[in-house]
Amino acid sequence: MRIANYLRPDCVALRQRADSLTGAVQQMVTLLDGTDNLTDTAVFAADVRARLALGGVCVGNGLAIPHAKSTAVRQLQLAALTLDPPLPCDTPDGKPLDLLVMIAAPAEANDLHVQVLAELATLFLDTDFCAHLRESETPEAFCRAISAREEQDAQEPPSDAAPGAAEPGYQLLAVTACPTGIAHTYLAAEALQQAAQARGLTLKVETNGAAGVNDELTEDEIQAAECVIVAVDRSIPLARFVGKRLVYSSAGDAVRDADRLLEKAVSGKAPVYRGGHAFRTSDWKELGREYYGHLMSGISHMLPFVVAGGIVTAFSILLQHTGAPSKWIMLMTNVGKSSFAMMYPVLAAFIAYSIADRPGFMPGLMGGYLAQMGTTTATQLSWISSGFWGTIIAGFAAGLVVQLLNHLFRRVPPELDHIKTGLLVPLLSLLFIGVLMLLVINPPLGHFNRWMSIKLSTMQGGSRLVLGTLLGGMMATDYGGPINKAAYVSGTLALVDLQYDLMAAVMAGGMIPPLGIALACLLFPTRFTSTERRSAPQTLLMGATFVTEGALPFALRDPLRVSPACIAGSALAGFITILLGCGCPAPHGGLFLLPVMENPPGFLIALAVGTLTTTLLLGMLKKPLKH
């Protein structure tokens, strides 16, 4: 693939001015509007802005690569823009933007835009070449420079001709990944490759990108390598690297200073990986982050069962109101309940899988099932589910016991390895989890859960109002972070126990921040930048559909004023939903759930009061911008 084939001079603009990243992107949309590749400029512009809101398009060294797949694009097309003066922006290395390349890809293009991103990462990582592009006098010269560079690269011998490449295997291995799996994944890979080539080292890089895993490392390559560099910004499986020297960093660090990572890798001082970053570094903070990551892995796999089951249950309630046949109502009800029944086994299974990889899945799944059933040595009539906490204990215990068994059996001869993996580890881990859950975890936690359920169901008046206020406020604390997730999980667990009022408080609390901010942009425009005001309709839509993260860009720019205003409005909305007896039978959907809610007018009142509170507080706390 050649970049020059997709970039035309009439889609290049040099030394332009822009007051914001959004404004610069809009200029490139206008350039593409002059071609016959866009069927609807407004739709494509909206798709680009939506992708821009997710972040990750600024890759450092003054370069940004905005991109979008859109139904309004006929064929892949690029646009380029240089800025003079450079645009101060929130970039990974703090350098202002002065070079942007936009990718417009058709919706059915699969991973084509990812391939282009990889090529751009390779091309624009060379700072001297980027400087040459910025100095281009005309768009034609800009395109000719890219074409000439690609022809030169095509004529160069492959990188495996470097010294040492004739030896079997690779001296070093690397893995790169970023949250979106696009720009930084490939920029980091290319930076490491170039640094290794300059040192005369052989290096293979596995990229975990949006299109999947490319150049996957084999078991033989891992065994032969001296060290592995893991440059990632999200969780990836690391069990295969146990026993190898490991250099761990972010993808951004690899882009900025790949040579430093290589120096550490070849120094012989990199620590041997023993099954976790935290244990490897004896860092308790890292230990907390690592195990929080395992927990969130389980929760992210569990939530689809809760969300889908809740919505199906809500449909069954809606069918009851419409007088539908009872068999359809029962079908919806049973499917929803069955989905809820799967949440605990799935949660525990994927916590264990995150810790111990595939061998942890089975004991984790069984531990979650035993927690969900509340199985003990007594008769089944006395079983009480140990619920969420029992499931979490089962998941972590299953993952850790599998790790322990693998360590104990590490000296098993290779010819007996199938007995270890196919019999000993599954059997012993299942027996351990069975004894743990039936004798130690389920009996006390089951009784505790019954006590908590009775307390919650009998909680009335002030105490219930306080709980609704607390949950509503927590939803606006970190906009999708740990506190927000804790409140959301609390609401979904209450939903399983048919306590719909707490889910209503959580739902209202999560909708208020983006709704309040969007309204403030309309009522107090002088308090917000032009970019923020343009994003108000999108933020309003996100609030209406219960996407709290719509408030995040505003909170990051001005946390000391935005966060208190959002928390106050959300807490008040949570209070009012409990006060007015609102109930929400599904964990997602926002305003679309009004037909199946208990007391919909009360829920709308809670939203209105909470939104106005956040809006007015923003108007008071934020000062007019100086122009």
Side-chain angles (χ1 to χ4, degrees):
M1 173 178 290
R2 295 190 58 182
I3 299 301
N5 294 338
Y6 301 101
L7 182 63
R8 296 164 18 183
D10 58 341
C11 293
V12 177
L14 305 178
R15 289 172 284 282
Q16 303 297 303
R17 299 179 65 90
D19 61 352
S20 67
L21 177 58
T22 305
V25 168
Q26 185 58 46
Q27 290 188 47
M28 288 189 286
V29 172
T30 303
L31 289 172
L32 291 176
D33 190 29
T35 70
D36 57 359
N37 266 351
L38 293 188
T39 59
D40 192 322
T41 305
V43 170
F44 175 69
D47 291 336
V48 174
R49 287 195 298 271
R51 176 59 189 86
L52 199 63
L54 298 176
V57 301
C58 298
V59 297
N61 194 34
L63 173 67
I65 309 178
H67 50 275
K69 291 172 64 176
S70 175
T71 55
V73 178
R74 288 195 178 94
Q75 296 179 332
L76 183 74
Q77 183 73 51
L78 303 182
L81 187 73
T82 64
L83 298 177
D84 188 16
L87 175 65
C89 198
D90 184 17
T91 56
D93 55 5
K95 293 183 180 179
L97 290 180
D98 60 359
L99 176 60
L100 297 93
V101 181
M102 173 184 281
I103 304 172
E108 67 279 3
N110 295 325
D111 61 346
L112 180 61
H113 72 299
V114 178
Q115 297 176 32
V116 175
L117 275 165
E119 292 295 327
L120 286 172
T122 303
L123 195 63
F124 288 102
L125 198 67
D126 187 333
T127 54
D128 293 336
F129 175 65
C130 288
H132 178 59
L133 284 181
R134 294 179 179 103
E135 294 170 359
S136 300
E137 293 295 329
T138 63
E140 289 77 10
F142 188 98
C143 295
R144 282 197 302 270
I146 292 177
S147 180
R149 175 57 184 266
E150 289 186 311
E151 289 178 3
Q152 175 187 337
D153 290 344
Q155 295 170 2
E156 290 182 354
S159 59
D160 58 5
E167 301 178 6
Y170 295 84
Q171 294 167 275
L172 300 176
L173 302 176
V175 181
T176 63
C178 64
T180 57
I182 301 180
H184 278 80
T185 299
Y186 300 102
L187 284 169
E190 183 62 24
L192 290 168
Q193 290 280 21
Q194 289 189 6
Q197 189 172 356
R199 284 175 169 262
L201 299 170
T202 56
L203 170 72
K204 179 179 178 180
V205 184
E206 172 187 299
T207 54
N208 288 248
V213 177
N214 289 325
D215 298 321
E216 185 171 4
L217 306 180
T218 68
E219 190 65 34
D220 290 341
E221 290 167 346
I222 294 172
Q223 292 299 321
E226 298 173 10
C227 184
V228 181
I229 299 172
V230 179
V232 298
D233 295 317
R234 60 178 174 85
S235 176
I236 64 167
L238 295 178
R240 52 188 167 155
F241 301 133
V242 170
K244 302 298 297 184
R245 294 193 178 276
L246 196 78
V247 174
Y248 197 89
S249 78
S250 69
D253 287 341
V255 175
R256 289 187 290 272
D257 198 353
D259 194 65
R260 179 182 61 82
L261 298 182
L262 289 175
E263 176 63 33
K264 188 174 181 180
V266 299
S267 68
K269 298 179 181 179
V272 176
Y273 181 64
R274 299 297 184 190
H277 319 149
F279 292 122
R280 176 170 51 82
T281 60
S282 300
D283 186 337
W284 289 103
K285 290 184 179 179
E286 182 64 29
L287 178 65
R289 285 192 290 268
E290 182 181 326
Y291 275 75
Y292 174 74
H294 297 321
L295 174 62
M296 292 311 297
S297 175
I299 289 177
S300 66
H301 285 90
M302 176 195 78
L303 285 180
F305 289 85
V306 182
V307 172
I311 292 175
V312 170
T313 302
F315 278 141
S316 72
I317 296 173
L318 183 61
L319 289 176
Q320 289 177 359
H321 294 327
T322 59
S326 59
K327 66 176 182 179
W328 292 108
I329 297 172
M330 190 56 64
L331 183 150
M332 291 287 191
T333 302
N334 290 340
V335 169
K337 287 182 178 179
S338 299
S339 180
F340 281 145
M342 289 297 298
M343 59 183 282
Y344 289 143
V346 169
L347 171 61
F350 281 98
I351 290 175
Y353 183 87
S354 180
I355 296 172
D357 212 351
R358 189 161 38 185
F361 186 85
M362 184 277 294
L365 186 72
M366 286 303 302
Y369 177 75
L370 294 172
Q372 192 262 335
M373 296 295 292
T375 310
T376 67
T377 55
T379 59
Q380 186 170 355
L381 292 175
S382 65
W383 293 356
I384 308 170
S385 173
S386 58
F388 185 67
W389 297 111
T391 303
I392 289 177
I393 294 172
F396 280 107
L400 292 173
V401 76
V402 168
Q403 281 191 325
L404 175 62
L405 290 171
N406 284 329
H407 177 73
L408 294 176
F409 294 141
R410 67 189 184 280
R411 299 188 188 280
V412 171
E415 57 269 18
L416 298 178
D417 192 63
H418 64 284
I419 297 178
K420 179 189 78 171
T421 58
L423 175 62
L424 294 179
V425 172
L427 176 62
L428 294 177
S429 61
L430 178 59
L431 286 174
F432 173 82
I433 286 298
V435 170
L436 177 71
M437 298 306 295
L438 270 66
L439 298 181
V440 181
I441 303 301
N442 283 345
L445 277 182
H447 290 294
F448 173 76
N449 281 342
R450 171 179 282 179
W451 176 80
M452 279 294 297
S453 180
I454 293 172
K455 281 291 183 183
L456 281 175
S457 60
T458 58
M459 188 182 290
Q460 301 296 333
S463 55
R464 194 115 182 141
L465 289 171
V466 170
L467 182 58
T469 304
L470 179 63
L471 290 174
M474 289 171 66
M475 287 298 294
T477 301
D478 54 0
Y479 314 100
I483 299 175
N484 172 280
K485 285 291 188 292
Y488 182 69
V489 169
S490 298
T492 57
L493 294 177
L495 188 65
V496 175
D497 292 332
L498 305 181
Q499 300 187 50
Y500 297 157
D501 56 340
L502 297 183
M503 190 65 234
V506 168
M507 183 80 69
M511 295 170 67
I512 293 302
L515 289 176
I517 289 172
L519 185 59
C521 288
L522 299 176
L523 297 182
F524 306 105
T526 60
R527 269 79 166 172
F528 298 91
T529 66
S530 58
T531 301
E532 291 173 328
R533 294 195 302 272
R534 283 196 295 269
S535 68
Q538 176 184 333
T539 306
L540 186 67
L541 179 61
M542 295 174 79
T545 53
F546 187 47
V547 182
T548 314
E549 289 83 351
L552 185 57
F554 297 84
L556 290 176
R557 295 187 190 102
D558 193 3
L560 295 180
R561 295 178 178 86
V562 173
S563 291
C566 291
I567 292 172
S570 292
L572 182 57
F575 175 89
I576 295 174
T577 57
I578 301 295
L579 180 67
L580 299 182
C582 303
C584 181
H588 216 289
L591 293 179
F592 292 103
L593 294 176
L594 280 177
V596 296
M597 283 187 181
E598 298 172 7
N599 191 10
F603 187 80
L604 290 175
I605 291 172
L607 283 185
V609 174
T611 300
L612 285 173
T613 300
T614 294
T615 299
L616 294 176
L617 285 174
L618 286 171
M620 290 187 290
L621 294 175
K622 290 178 71 70
K623 304 300 180 185
L625 299 178
K626 296 180 180 179
H627 297 285

